[in-house]
Amino acid sequence: VYSRQFLRPPRSTCQLAAMSDDEMPMAGGDMPMNDDEGSDMEGFQAPPLLPEGITKDIVTAAADSEWKQPKNGDEVTVHYVGTLAQDGFEFDSSRSRGQPFVFTLGKGQVIKGWDLGVATMKKGEVAKFTLAPEFAYGEAGSPPKIPANATLVFEVELIGWSSKDDLFGDDGVIKTILTEGSGWKKPKAGDEVLLSLKAVAADGSEIEERGEFEYALGSEALGPIAKAASKALESMKKGETAEIKCSKEYAYGDKHPDGATVTLSLREIYETSDVSFSKDGSVQKKLVKAGEGYDSPKDGAKVKLSVISATDGTTAIDGLKVGTLEFAAEDGEVCDALECAVVEMKKGERAVLTITKPELIREQKLGLQDVKADKVVLTVELEEFEKGKDTWSMSEDEKLEWAVSRKDRGSELLKAGRLAMALRRYKKVVDSFGYLDDMQEENKAKAKALKLACEANTVVVHLKLKDFVAAKAACNSVLKEDKQNIKALYRRAQAELGLKNFLECIGDCKKVVELDSQNKEARALLRQAQLAQREEDKKAKGLFANMCKALGRGAGPAPEKRQCLEGAEDGAGVAAEVAAAEPTEAEAVPMEEKRVHVKGQAGRGSACRAFAAPACRANSRRAARAMGDPRKDRTAILKGHRPVVSEARVA
């Protein structure tokens, strides 16, 4: 009889700023729940202290595993006993009625002290709150049981709560968690998930029901409820079941004007990642079943990989040999697609690989050596693998032995045309010998030689891949240690040629010939670079000729200028030409257009710098002499064309 009367606030209440379970600071996602993951309360911060006028005494603490607290909008369920502080008179009790009390937290449905106090509790906790009058019923009291200005004592047990969220802030979609999920990952827009769905109308009639199906967040596959469902899924964890109450605007419109309630069960979150060696999206891995632990196969580890199916996206590929493959990871024993995927998997993990370059999936062991499909979708599962030894835990001799085997295997892959895999072999050796100062002198020399050899081999791979920038950088690393390394100089010259830096290529070739006068390859490359430079010079000459023609284009000189020029001495023709080059408004070529023209051509080669700038300076000097004053400022004589000359000089 009295429960709602006594708990209803007599005047407006302030909104709760309590910490929610979503806002709870956590270490790496969800609060760890076992010793292996760390302390249960690691990263926990206590909520703000209750204001003066509310005191809390914990009668029975919550279980150690319970750390979450309800937030504003959650529907909480409690048992309570209310008494007067002055004489202990019990004025209300849900326990006496045998019926728990349910209310929405932070919405002003109860007295202010309750909204603030219950927000600090955990599931299963029993606490005693002493509330000053301003947090209870104040000066008015609640006759006849509660006098004016009464201090009240409530013993409250938090039985539980339903977490509710207003997803769009307009009360159009209210989400309630029915079953908590696990882990910390939540899907985002574009991610694929496995879920089930059921929608019912306001009168309880079923609208639609779907069993487990795959859905991409943000897509329109769910029709009118797609927006609400995607928004809800973004806040869900694997294994979570939630209910969303949607107004007609977020549901089925006028077909169901009273809205609908949709129940979503999130079964799996499919993570998709680019696992290709070149990171060009040619091999995409979609996780469909999580594996165990954190370890993945290391370089050279023995693995067992089960191949379950292969399609072209819709139709099964003929000739596929399903079964289990056993091989050493990253040794090139299977096709590149399997090699790059397996090192990103965990034991027991199942994944769907989407390969968009057929050459990466041609594998005789699978019967796919002649596959011609533009896209191959492969379902695989990593059954088990041997845990290899980390390089940092190896002895110096073990590390050297490992590096030699990796280098040799890289060379075999290079000869076989497996460029991406060969590059990984060499880079791993280089990276493992990044710091050598702690090694014994004898081993240090061996490690340094291995590192240089692998760096040199990476250059070969980069050149074959036409990655000239990376090839040049690798050559510079080798030459930093050995300035007269002929191979590095020659290969850097090849990279410079690929980058069209012909003068730099010529310089490196000459260095090689100085060190090895019989080097035919360097001489041939030198001739090639010289010919290419001559072609650039010809283009630059033509460019400069056109530029000079542009300087002489425009209307004839004004009458007063013509009279002035008639009495000029030797060289007057040049001065007249310069003066006449000043265009009229009608015939002027916009300076911006000239500037763009010159700048656009300047990048064609270094010859533009060799010809354009000196010629412009010579012309301006000649014009100054013609005017009878060799010291005269050339920019004043060429006024009106300064931007063009300036850009040419920069070029």
Side-chain angles (χ1 to χ4, degrees):
V1 176
Y2 294 107
S3 62
R4 294 193 181 274
Q5 174 189 351
F6 288 129
L7 296 175
R8 189 180 301 115
R11 56 186 181 273
S12 64
T13 61
C14 69
Q15 296 299 310
L16 175 65
M19 184 177 295
S20 71
D21 53 10
D22 290 331
E23 298 164 339
M24 181 73 71
M26 294 175 284
D30 279 351
M31 190 69 74
M33 293 298 175
N34 56 55
D35 293 338
D36 293 334
E37 294 175 323
S39 168
D40 285 348
M41 301 308 292
E42 182 181 352
F44 172 78
Q45 294 180 3
L49 294 175
L50 289 168
E52 187 176 352
I54 301 178
T55 59
K56 175 184 176 182
D57 296 303
I58 296 177
V59 178
T60 304
D64 291 341
S65 59
E66 299 293 342
W67 55 271
K68 292 184 179 181
Q69 295 168 323
K71 64 181 184 304
N72 276 359
D74 288 350
E75 191 174 77
V76 298
T77 302
V78 299
H79 262 310
Y80 69 93
V81 176
T83 58
L84 298 177
Q86 61 185 10
D87 58 11
F89 170 69
E90 181 180 308
F91 57 84
D92 192 17
S93 172
S94 65
R95 295 188 184 277
S96 299
R97 295 189 300 274
Q99 183 67 39
F101 178 56
V102 179
F103 69 98
T104 301
L105 190 65
K107 298 297 183 181
Q109 295 180 0
V110 293
I111 57 177
K112 186 177 178 181
W114 268 53
D115 266 342
L116 295 174
V118 173
T120 67
M121 299 182 69
K122 302 166 189 172
K123 184 178 178 180
E125 178 182 322
V126 179
K128 181 177 288 187
F129 294 97
T130 302
L131 309 180
E134 60 268 27
F135 293 100
Y137 294 95
E139 296 178 356
S142 185
K145 298 282 186 174
I146 300 176
N149 293 316
T151 297
L152 307 181
V153 178
F154 287 96
E155 184 179 277
V156 181
E157 177 187 1
L158 180 57
I159 298 172
W161 69 88
S162 295
S163 183
K164 295 191 176 185
D165 292 296
D166 184 356
L167 298 184
F168 295 100
D170 58 1
D171 291 327
V173 182
I174 304 297
K175 175 195 167 194
T176 303
I177 297 177
L178 304 180
T179 304
E180 291 280 352
S182 61
W184 57 271
K185 293 180 181 177
K186 298 177 182 179
K188 58 184 180 299
D191 285 353
E192 291 186 32
V193 298
L194 181 70
L195 75 152
S196 60
L197 172 153
K198 183 178 181 180
V200 297
D203 61 4
S205 61
E206 183 178 305
I207 300 174
E208 65 173 312
E209 183 172 7
R210 302 192 192 186
E212 292 186 353
F213 66 98
E214 294 183 3
Y215 172 68
L217 271 69
S219 73
E220 297 299 322
L222 293 179
I225 61 171
K227 182 178 180 180
S230 292
K231 185 70 173 178
L233 287 166
E234 287 179 6
S235 63
M236 295 175 67
K237 302 172 186 176
K238 178 183 174 181
E240 181 177 324
T241 299
E243 180 183 86
I244 52 173
K245 291 185 177 180
C246 309
S247 63
K248 71 174 186 177
E249 291 79 13
Y250 292 98
Y252 300 93
D254 292 334
K255 189 174 180 181
H256 294 282
D258 294 329
T261 299
V262 182
T263 303
L264 301 170
S265 295
L266 182 56
R267 309 297 187 189
E268 290 284 351
I269 301 173
Y270 298 145
E271 297 176 37
T272 301
S273 56
D274 181 3
V275 296
S276 61
F277 289 142
S278 54
K279 298 303 177 188
D280 59 359
S282 56
V283 183
Q284 295 280 343
K285 180 175 77 75
K286 182 172 78 173
L287 175 66
V288 296
K289 188 182 79 172
E292 304 171 9
Y294 303 96
D295 293 326
S296 297
K298 292 181 173 60
D299 190 1
K302 297 292 182 182
V303 303
K304 288 185 179 181
L305 183 71
S306 175
V307 179
I308 299 168
S309 65
T311 72
D312 61 5
T314 55
T315 308
I317 295 177
D318 295 333
L320 173 68
K321 299 176 183 177
V322 297
T324 300
L325 300 177
E326 297 186 27
F327 57 94
E330 295 200 83
D331 255 11
E333 296 179 14
V334 294
C335 62
D336 282 18
L338 296 180
E339 289 281 13
C340 63
V342 75
V343 294
E344 300 288 343
M345 297 178 70
K346 300 176 178 64
K347 182 180 178 181
E349 178 181 327
R350 178 174 291 192
V352 174
L353 310 179
T354 301
I355 303 102
T356 53
K357 290 184 178 179
E359 63 271 19
L360 299 179
I361 193 57
R362 292 194 177 114
E363 176 55 59
Q364 187 172 4
K365 296 176 182 178
L366 296 176
L368 299 177
Q369 64 271 19
D370 298 321
V371 66
K372 292 183 174 58
D374 293 333
K375 179 175 74 172
V376 176
V377 180
L378 208 64
T379 303
V380 297
E381 183 171 333
L382 180 57
E383 294 181 2
E384 59 179 315
F385 64 90
E386 294 178 0
K387 291 184 179 180
K389 199 171 185 179
D390 293 303
T391 53
W392 57 265
S393 64
M394 296 178 183
S395 66
E396 290 184 4
D397 291 337
E398 287 176 331
K399 196 171 183 179
L400 288 169
E401 183 181 352
W402 170 86
V404 170
S405 68
R406 293 296 86 197
K407 172 183 170 294
D408 292 344
R409 187 56 185 153
S411 300
E412 292 173 8
L413 292 166
L414 177 59
K415 291 176 183 176
R418 308 278 293 273
L419 301 180
M421 293 199 65
L423 187 62
R424 286 173 65 87
R425 299 284 71 66
Y426 296 137
K427 281 186 173 180
K428 286 198 173 184
V429 175
V430 172
D431 293 342
S432 66
F433 290 128
Y435 184 76
L436 304 175
D437 290 349
D438 289 344
M439 297 185 75
Q440 298 177 8
E441 288 302 320
E442 181 182 356
N443 289 336
K444 186 189 296 185
K446 293 178 181 178
K448 188 175 181 180
L450 276 169
K451 181 180 178 181
L452 285 174
C454 287
E455 283 181 331
N457 287 346
T458 62
V459 178
V460 177
V461 178
H462 286 310
L463 289 174
K464 287 182 177 290
L465 293 171
K466 299 189 182 303
D467 187 352
F468 300 117
V469 173
K472 181 179 176 179
C475 287
N476 289 337
S477 296
V478 175
L479 292 169
K480 187 177 179 181
E481 300 293 332
D482 183 2
K483 294 182 179 179
Q484 295 186 335
N485 189 303
I486 292 177
K487 286 186 178 180
L489 285 168
Y490 174 71
R491 288 167 182 162
R492 187 171 70 178
Q494 289 180 302
E496 298 287 14
L497 184 70
L499 295 170
K500 299 188 182 302
N501 298 330
F502 304 124
L503 293 178
E504 289 82 353
C505 176
I506 290 170
D508 280 341
C509 287
K510 287 182 177 180
K511 290 179 184 177
V512 174
V513 172
E514 287 175 6
L515 295 170
D516 180 7
S517 60
Q518 303 302 315
N519 195 310
K520 295 180 180 180
E521 291 84 359
R523 289 182 178 277
L525 184 62
L526 177 60
R527 286 193 294 272
Q528 185 181 353
Q530 288 171 335
L531 288 173
Q533 184 60 54
R534 286 173 191 166
E535 289 299 318
E536 287 296 311
D537 292 346
K538 288 180 183 178
K539 292 178 184 177
K541 286 180 181 178
L543 169 65
F544 177 66
N546 292 333
M547 186 173 64
C548 287
K549 288 179 183 178
L551 286 172
R553 189 178 302 156
E560 60 273 14
K561 290 186 179 179
R562 189 179 297 112
Q563 290 175 4
C564 231
L565 292 171
E566 284 175 358
E569 297 181 359
D570 293 342
V574 176
E577 184 181 0
V578 172
E582 219 172 312
T584 65
E585 257 183 30
E587 300 177 350
V589 178
M591 288 302 173
E592 285 73 19
E593 292 185 14
K594 292 183 181 180
R595 185 182 298 116
V596 170
H597 172 74
V598 174
K599 289 178 71 178
Q601 298 294 331
R604 289 183 175 272
S606 56
C608 200
R609 293 191 296 271
F611 289 93
C616 285
R617 288 195 294 270
N619 275 355
S620 61
R621 285 196 298 270
R622 196 157 52 249
R625 286 196 299 272
M627 296 297 291
D629 185 3
R631 295 171 298 172
K632 190 172 181 64
D633 186 359
R634 288 172 289 173
T635 59
I637 295 173
L638 295 175
K639 183 179 180 182
H641 298 283
R642 184 177 180 182
V644 177
V645 174
S646 176
E647 290 295 336
R649 293 183 65 181
V650 171

